[in-house]
Amino acid sequence: MSDFPNLYLQVCRDYHLEPQDCILDKLNCLHLSPRSNKAVLNLSANSISVHSCCAIARVLATDRCIESLKLADCMLCEDGIKEVAKSLATNVAVKKLDLKGNNIKGVAAEAVGSMLRQNNTLTSLVLEWNSLGMLETSFSLFCDGLAVNRSLRDLDLRNNQISHEGGKEVARAIKRNNTVRKLDLRWNNLGIIGGRALLDVVKYNTTLVSLTVDGNNIPTDIVSAIATAVNHNCSTLELESDYVHKTRVLTSQLRQSEQDSQLKMSDLRGVIDQKEEFFRQSSR
């Protein structure tokens, strides 16, 4: 059983906050995996107040058990997003975060970008059905955080009103980021300019193995070229992975062979020592 429910109640008492029943119901069902000693906290589709966000954020700041946090369709306000993002900036346990459908934009988008700049644990981030691209300046700051993040592998930015200028910002971020493997940009407004910017980058970014841009009014030839470049990355990474695997196998075999040789040499020395001792005793 996780301590998260008790800590949540304690924070509520300390700050004179009223615990939300919907959150308590979910927390009471929280169980740690016997194998990993980690848990999934799913609060999706619950209307969470800003005070509850503050309480949850304070517990998350030091929590080591929640590995996946789901806050999809929670109608989180700007201050609520800021509190959660601030706590996750230094959190070392949460690897998967789902913030789908919270109308994140402006200052909230900047807060998520700031979190990405500092966080070194998160590997999957879902931001589908938000409004990150609505304000270009804020989205640019979000992309600044993405550019320097070194842990994120999967990023979902579907349906975020990202314009062609926003597409250029994403391309700029991906040019610097060498850890993101899968990027979903479907159903935005990237257009030909954003499409070309992504194509220019994906030719040189060798870590992206999935980049989906359907529903962006991007010409089919550019979409096809992006797909070709990404497929080339996949093939290259497969070859590299195969090379690494074979190298590890050969290294292991060589080590085993060396150990076997050393054991045989040790046995041989033992036999020689026994014979020498036998001859010494015989000559007396």
Side-chain angles (χ1 to χ4, degrees):
M1 182 68 179
S2 170
D3 289 334
F4 204 102
N6 293 330
L7 292 173
Y8 169 72
L9 289 172
Q10 183 62 52
V11 170
C12 287
R13 286 193 294 268
D14 291 345
Y15 290 89
H16 308 291
L17 305 175
E18 184 68 26
Q20 281 189 255
D21 291 337
C22 62
I23 294 178
L24 288 176
D25 290 342
K26 295 290 185 179
L27 292 180
N28 288 331
C29 297
L30 194 63
H31 295 286
L32 299 178
S33 167
R35 179 174 298 182
S36 64
N37 204 35
K38 301 293 183 181
V40 176
L41 178 54
N42 188 355
L43 298 174
S44 295
N46 287 286
S47 181
I48 301 176
S49 70
V50 64
H51 296 303
S52 291
C53 280
C54 291
I56 292 171
R58 290 183 184 277
V59 181
L60 281 172
T62 56
D63 177 75
R64 297 295 182 273
C65 295
I66 303 301
E67 187 175 48
S68 177
L69 177 61
K70 298 182 179 182
L71 294 168
D73 304 311
C74 288
M75 296 184 287
L76 301 181
C77 67
E78 183 179 277
D79 288 337
I81 292 291
K82 287 166 60 178
E83 289 293 333
V84 172
K86 181 180 179 180
S87 69
L88 291 178
T90 55
N91 179 283
V92 295
V94 176
K95 293 183 178 181
K96 296 181 179 181
L97 175 62
D98 187 349
L99 290 172
K100 171 191 170 187
N102 283 289
N103 196 31
I104 299 173
K105 60 184 177 181
V107 175
E110 296 173 22
V112 177
S114 179
M115 180 267 291
L116 288 176
R117 180 183 292 277
Q118 301 174 68
N119 183 281
N120 295 308
T121 306
L122 201 65
T123 59
S124 175
L125 176 58
V126 177
L127 290 167
E128 179 190 3
W129 280 110
N130 282 290
S131 304
L132 271 73
M134 181 177 287
L135 300 176
E136 291 181 358
T137 301
S138 296
F139 187 64
S140 177
L141 293 174
F142 166 82
C143 290
D144 287 343
L146 173 61
V148 298
N149 181 273
R150 291 297 175 263
S151 65
L152 199 64
R153 297 291 183 271
D154 300 342
L155 177 60
D156 188 343
L157 292 175
R158 284 176 289 174
N159 292 286
N160 265 283
Q161 303 183 44
I162 302 174
S163 66
H164 63 277
E165 288 297 330
K168 290 162 63 176
E169 290 295 334
V170 173
R172 176 180 59 82
I174 294 302
K175 185 175 183 178
R176 295 177 59 190
N177 183 299
N178 60 4
T179 57
V180 171
R181 298 291 186 268
K182 297 180 180 180
L183 176 60
D184 196 337
L185 286 164
R186 285 177 289 175
W187 312 116
N188 284 290
N189 304 301
L190 303 180
I192 187 172
I193 295 176
R196 282 176 174 170
L198 290 171
L199 177 58
D200 289 341
V201 169
V202 80
K203 290 178 180 178
Y204 303 100
N205 182 310
T206 59
T207 57
L208 271 175
V209 296
S210 177
L211 174 58
T212 47
V213 294
D214 299 329
N216 276 281
N217 294 316
I218 299 175
T220 54
D221 60 327
I222 295 179
V223 174
S224 298
I226 290 174
T228 299
V230 170
N231 288 335
H232 175 72
N233 286 349
C234 291
S235 300
T236 301
L237 288 174
E238 286 177 1
L239 289 173
E240 290 178 353
S241 178
D242 184 59
Y243 172 79
V244 170
H245 173 69
K246 289 180 178 178
T247 301
R248 287 176 178 171
V249 171
L250 288 173
T251 301
S252 177
Q253 291 175 343
L254 284 172
R255 287 175 180 169
Q256 185 62 47
S257 178
E258 289 176 356
Q259 292 175 357
D260 292 343
S261 297
Q262 291 174 357
L263 184 60
K264 289 179 180 179
M265 288 297 295
S266 179
D267 291 341
L268 181 60
R269 291 193 190 97
V271 171
I272 293 173
D273 290 341
Q274 289 177 358
K275 288 185 177 181
E276 288 179 347
E277 180 63 22
F278 174 78
F279 288 137
R280 279 197 297 269
Q281 293 179 357
S282 298
S283 61
R284 290 176 182 175

